[in-house]
Amino acid sequence: MTSGVSASGEPAQFYWCLRHNRVETDGNACAGVDRLGPYATAQDASHALQKVAEREARLDAEDARWKGETA
């Protein structure tokens, strides 16, 4: 799964499956609505939820500053 090359010879893409809470590849990925990605590596995909949480916190802080609130 972590070879970095798909069966077609293209660079492999990895996804975080929200349904199964696991890393999936092009060959075994759930429907797009149930996944985050693509990511270049399985490790990047495994950190997808952390990245989303960090991004949301950053955007919430920006919104608070925009509204004149202290964050």
Side-chain angles (χ1 to χ4, degrees):
M1 177 167 82
T2 59
S3 70
V5 178
S6 70
S8 67
E10 297 294 320
Q13 293 184 319
F14 301 89
Y15 304 88
W16 180 255
C17 179
L18 298 167
R19 177 181 286 187
H20 299 108
N21 293 314
R22 67 180 183 203
V23 174
E24 296 179 342
T25 62
D26 292 325
N28 74 343
C30 286
V33 70
D34 294 323
R35 66 185 187 205
L36 299 174
Y39 296 94
T41 68
Q43 183 176 4
D44 286 347
S46 71
H47 296 294
L49 293 179
Q50 178 184 350
K51 291 178 183 183
V52 168
E54 290 168 357
R55 185 179 312 124
E56 288 297 317
R58 188 172 54 251
L59 292 173
D60 287 346
E62 288 177 17
D63 286 347
R65 283 191 299 276
W66 179 260
K67 294 176 184 177
E69 302 168 3
T70 43

